[in-house]
Amino acid sequence: MSEACQIARKQDLPPPGGYKPIPFQRLPAKQYFSGYTMFAMYIGITAVSAYLYNINAKRIAKNEIEMRSAKMAIYPMLLAERDREYLKQLRRNRDAEAELMRDVPGWEVGTYYGERVYKLVPPDTLIEPIFHEYYAHSSPTEWFRRAYHKLRC
Amino acid sequence: MVLTADITLPEESELTVEEVNLSTATLRAGSFHLGKYCEQANNEFMLCRFEEKDPRKCINEGKAVTACTLEFFRKVKKTCLAEFNQYTNCIDKSSGDFGLQHCRKTQGVFDGCMLEKLHMERPEFGYFTEVRVHSTNRPKPLVEEKAVYPDTTPALPDDAERKPARFGSRFYWMTE
């Protein structure tokens, strides 16, 4: 019985001729440039880029100045036109408020039942209304158009 | 609203004049010659606007500016319309921000025409960004005087003796 269970066993041994040598030595990557060359290259490339950057920066600055000049030259005309339209709109707003609050007893235009908003300035001082007051009598579409102007363009 | 009935606003008829009905590209194309041509009116208006800080007081100056601009563009239309339109078209279609740097050739043609026919030279580079002296007859607006209070604490006379502080500086990190 015990003899039938006998299996030929083979001892685990090194391969014939022994194991290969273990590669434990460092294998550094190939070096194309020395440290000093790399420093020199860095400085050289930076210098050339700075030179090119300066050329472009000057050109861009010149163009910006030119565009600014063109805008400044037409600004008075645009401002004059805007002022006239603004004053027209202020009058329209005031008339609209008078019309809207006509039936309210004791209401005075531009005041809260006769109490002024700005008490210390002379009565004829033009105080520019804030955005929401300026657009108070316009349609919500117009309000939205102006308030979110940047969304559209 | 903050606009009371006391505030005088000009009538609509006073404010209605012929406006400059031109596109951005057109204005940008004519801007340099326009700024030079209408310099007096423009400076007068801007001076008024910045001194008075009130659009109601500068309506006449503003009307002069608009009239001058219209006059300028009418002159251009009469003499250099083809060159001007060519330049405007270039500015309009060359970039998204109406940049002038893309249109040097058409600009040269337009400038030559303006110089030849209207004797208007293009102002030199950076002319409108420089500080320019403007002579005017406008009276200076009155400056509000400082309020004088009769019960003010009298100031120390100039020749009063000023001793060093007895307990050092109030700034503790500073020593004598």
Side-chain angles (χ1 to χ4, degrees), chain B residues 12 17-18 35 73 89 91 94 98 109 123-124 129 152 160 162:
Chain B
E12 186 132 350
V17 289
E18 193 185 357
F73 279 111
N89 194 35
I91 286 178
S94 296
F98 305 104
V109 174
E124 68 271 12
T129 52
T152 328
R162 285 174 167 79

Side-chain angles (χ1 to χ4, degrees), chain A residues 55-75:
Chain A
I55 290 175
N56 262 318
K58 274 178 201 156
R59 193 171 53 83
I60 289 166
K62 271 187 105 171
N63 285 337
E64 277 174 359
I65 288 172
E66 194 182 19
M67 292 297 280
R68 202 158 63 236
S69 307
K71 282 173 192 167
M72 280 165 142
I74 54 172
Y75 178 62

Side-chain angles (χ1 to χ4, degrees), chain B:
Chain B
M1 281 285 275
V2 288
L3 294 169
T4 56
D6 300 334
I7 293 172
T8 46
L9 288 173
E11 293 288 333
E12 186 132 350
S13 55
E14 286 171 55
L15 296 168
T16 310
V17 289
E18 193 185 357
E19 300 290 0
V20 185
N21 193 11
L22 292 173
S23 66
T24 310
T26 321
L27 290 173
R28 194 60 61 80
S31 59
F32 277 81
H33 292 94
L34 169 71
K36 185 75 184 161
Y37 183 75
C38 297
E39 194 171 16
Q40 187 67 25
N42 285 353
N43 285 353
E44 198 73 16
F45 174 64
M46 292 313 286
L47 179 69
C48 170
R49 199 69 204 337
F50 276 69
E51 269 185 353
E52 303 281 0
K53 297 184 180 64
D54 190 344
R56 292 175 301 171
K57 291 176 184 162
C58 308
I59 289 167
N60 289 330
E61 284 85 348
K63 282 179 184 170
V65 168
T66 305
C68 177
T69 311
L70 280 171
E71 189 193 326
F72 171 78
F73 279 111
R74 279 188 185 126
K75 270 189 178 178
V76 173
K77 190 175 178 181
K78 224 178 271 175
T79 50
C80 296
L81 183 62
E83 289 88 346
F84 185 67
N85 278 347
Q86 193 187 10
Y87 184 37
T88 306
N89 194 35
C90 174
I91 286 178
D92 195 6
K93 296 186 178 162
S94 296
S95 62
D97 63 345
F98 305 104
L100 301 172
Q101 71 266 32
H102 314 288
C103 301
R104 296 297 177 214
K105 278 184 192 167
T106 43
Q107 180 190 316
V109 174
F110 173 60
D111 286 353
C113 178
M114 291 297 277
L115 186 61
E116 191 190 329
K117 293 191 179 154
L118 292 173
H119 308 291
M120 278 186 217
E121 209 173 329
R122 192 184 181 81
E124 68 271 12
F125 175 76
Y127 179 74
F128 294 106
T129 52
E130 282 169 1
V131 178
R132 285 161 292 154
V133 179
H134 172 62
S135 62
T136 177
N137 297 323
R138 265 185 69 76
K140 206 175 170 181
L142 295 172
V143 184
E144 199 183 332
E145 287 187 20
K146 257 190 182 174
V148 179
Y149 300 103
D151 54 346
T152 328
T153 315
L156 205 60
D158 284 340
D159 55 349
E161 193 189 356
R162 285 174 167 79
K163 292 176 187 167
R166 279 172 68 198
F167 301 109
S169 170
R170 71 174 66 191
F171 303 117
Y172 60 89
W173 63 88
M174 288 184 192
T175 49
E176 286 297 319

Side-chain angles (χ1 to χ4, degrees), chain A residues 25-150:
Chain A
Q25 227 165 3
R26 248 182 96 230
L27 287 173
K30 196 183 167 191
Q31 293 206 335
Y32 292 96
F33 308 107
S34 75
Y36 288 115
T37 327
M38 286 211 278
F39 274 119
M41 275 163 61
Y42 164 69
I43 290 167
I45 289 169
T46 310
V48 171
S49 340
Y51 172 69
L52 293 176
Y53 176 87
N54 262 319
I55 290 175
N56 262 318
K58 274 178 201 156
R59 193 171 53 83
I60 289 166
K62 271 187 105 171
N63 285 337
E64 277 174 359
I65 288 172
E66 194 182 19
M67 292 297 280
R68 202 158 63 236
S69 307
K71 282 173 192 167
M72 280 165 142
I74 54 172
Y75 178 62
M77 189 273 284
L78 297 174
L79 184 66
E81 192 175 322
R82 175 258 177 204
D83 276 355
R84 284 194 291 271
E85 191 51 43
Y86 182 69
L87 290 172
K88 277 184 202 171
Q89 185 59 40
L90 289 186
R91 179 170 273 280
R92 273 180 226 135
N93 280 1
R94 195 169 69 178
D95 293 349
E97 188 186 333
E99 175 65 24
L100 181 71
M101 304 301 278
R102 192 181 42 185
D103 300 333
V104 181
W107 185 266
E108 282 174 45
V109 175
T111 58
Y112 182 67
Y113 294 105
E115 187 185 344
R116 294 169 63 208
V117 180
Y118 297 96
K119 302 180 183 70
L120 297 181
V121 293
D124 196 20
T125 316
L126 179 71
I127 291 175
E128 305 202 344
I130 59 167
F131 175 73
H132 292 81
E133 282 185 350
Y134 188 68
Y135 275 79
H137 302 287
S138 70
S139 75
T141 323
E142 291 301 319
W143 182 94
F144 188 85
R145 241 180 226 207
R146 182 63 192 85
Y148 298 100
H149 186 253
K150 287 223 162 159

